[in-house]
Amino acid sequence: MQILRRMIARLAATAVTLVGVAVIVFVVIRVVPGNPIAMMLPPGATDADIQRLQELYGLDKSIPEQFLIWAGGVLQGDFGTSISLRQPVSELVLGRLPATLELSVMALVIAVALGGAMALTATLYRGTRVEGAIDVTGGMALSVPDFLWGLVLILLFGVLWPLFHISGRISPSLGFEFQSNFYLWESFIRLRFDVWADIVAHMFMPALALAIPLAAIISQLLKQSLKETMHLD
């Protein structure tokens, strides 16, 4: 019962956080300068055309009313239509979800490997300069945001030493036709390891950029747990 209560409390806290983030982002987007209707109309559009589209998308209403309309659509699975791409937002998200999931899993694997290696090394050489160097490295890795790590990796291994690809998910020269958007998984299942290796080469740098800050967190937590365990009988 205690575990169930904790799970319910965390789910409730997560729901409140998501609602708060949604409100803040929605309000910020509405108050920043710029008119989204201007992106949809040609330069010669009249005021009547602008007014008609504002009424169609509910932009003539107050911000609380707009948020309630949007939230009601979200609860029904309707996330609206992208103004710039003219496509349903749900389709755009689902179309990019497989690549996001594969990238996240690969980043997690790299983070666990790096963080575990750092924690084990720091624990074995505790009290020495090696542990200090690892702690300093972890602090630097955690203090730099992942997008900046991405730019550094592109500069180092995409421009100065072009070892990895800096764009795309697969080399067009392979000519491999996928049946789904899960490129990494599908190429592995179909035993096309040449395609699989090419996809990994495309994913490595962005996955590493995401993994570096996470690896620092894993390293600190695991090192602390290992130190506590080593002091037990």
Side-chain angles (χ1 to χ4, degrees):
M1 289 298 296
Q2 186 176 4
I3 296 176
L4 181 60
R5 290 176 182 175
R6 289 182 179 179
M7 292 179 60
I8 294 175
R10 290 188 177 183
L11 289 174
T14 302
V16 173
T17 302
L18 291 176
V19 172
V21 171
V23 171
I24 293 174
V25 173
F26 192 91
V27 173
V28 169
I29 291 177
R30 289 301 184 274
V31 299
V32 295
N35 186 3
I37 299 300
M39 300 174 58
M40 305 176 62
L41 292 173
T46 63
D47 294 338
D49 295 332
I50 296 176
Q51 182 65 27
R52 179 176 56 82
L53 282 181
Q54 286 180 340
E55 294 176 357
L56 178 63
Y57 288 98
L59 297 178
D60 58 332
K61 296 179 173 58
S62 63
I63 293 181
E65 290 177 319
Q66 294 181 38
F67 180 79
L68 291 176
I69 294 173
W70 174 81
V74 169
L75 293 177
Q76 298 176 9
D78 180 13
F79 291 87
T81 303
S82 171
I83 293 177
S84 58
L85 299 178
R86 310 290 180 87
Q87 297 180 22
V89 174
S90 57
E91 293 183 4
L92 294 173
V93 173
L94 292 176
R96 289 159 176 75
L97 185 60
T100 303
L101 292 176
E102 290 184 344
L103 181 62
S104 300
V105 171
M106 186 173 180
L108 181 60
V109 171
I110 295 175
V112 171
L114 289 177
M118 292 170 62
L120 290 173
T121 305
T123 304
L124 289 174
Y125 295 95
R126 59 189 182 278
T128 65
R129 294 182 179 180
V130 175
E131 182 184 9
I134 292 177
D135 290 340
V136 172
T137 303
M140 293 175 59
L142 189 59
S143 61
V144 178
D146 48 15
F147 73 89
L148 188 55
W149 281 118
L151 295 176
V152 172
L153 291 175
I154 289 175
L155 179 62
L156 291 178
F157 303 113
V159 179
L160 297 179
W161 299 285
L163 301 177
F164 299 98
H165 303 279
I166 61 175
S167 64
R169 295 181 65 186
I170 186 174
S171 299
S173 58
L174 292 176
F176 186 76
E177 295 184 1
F178 291 93
Q179 304 300 322
S180 68
N181 288 327
F182 290 94
Y183 289 5
L184 190 67
W185 176 254
E186 183 178 344
S187 60
F188 184 81
I189 292 297
R190 295 170 64 177
L191 304 181
R192 286 297 304 271
F193 298 113
D194 56 333
V195 177
W196 184 86
D198 184 78
I199 296 172
V200 170
H202 279 80
M203 293 175 57
F204 180 75
M205 283 203 301
L208 181 60
L210 293 173
I212 289 176
L214 181 59
I217 298 175
I218 294 175
S219 173
Q220 292 296 326
L221 295 176
L222 183 57
K223 187 184 74 170
Q224 187 64 30
S225 299
L226 289 173
K227 283 187 175 182
E228 292 176 359
T229 302
M230 293 184 67
H231 284 87
L232 299 177
D233 294 336

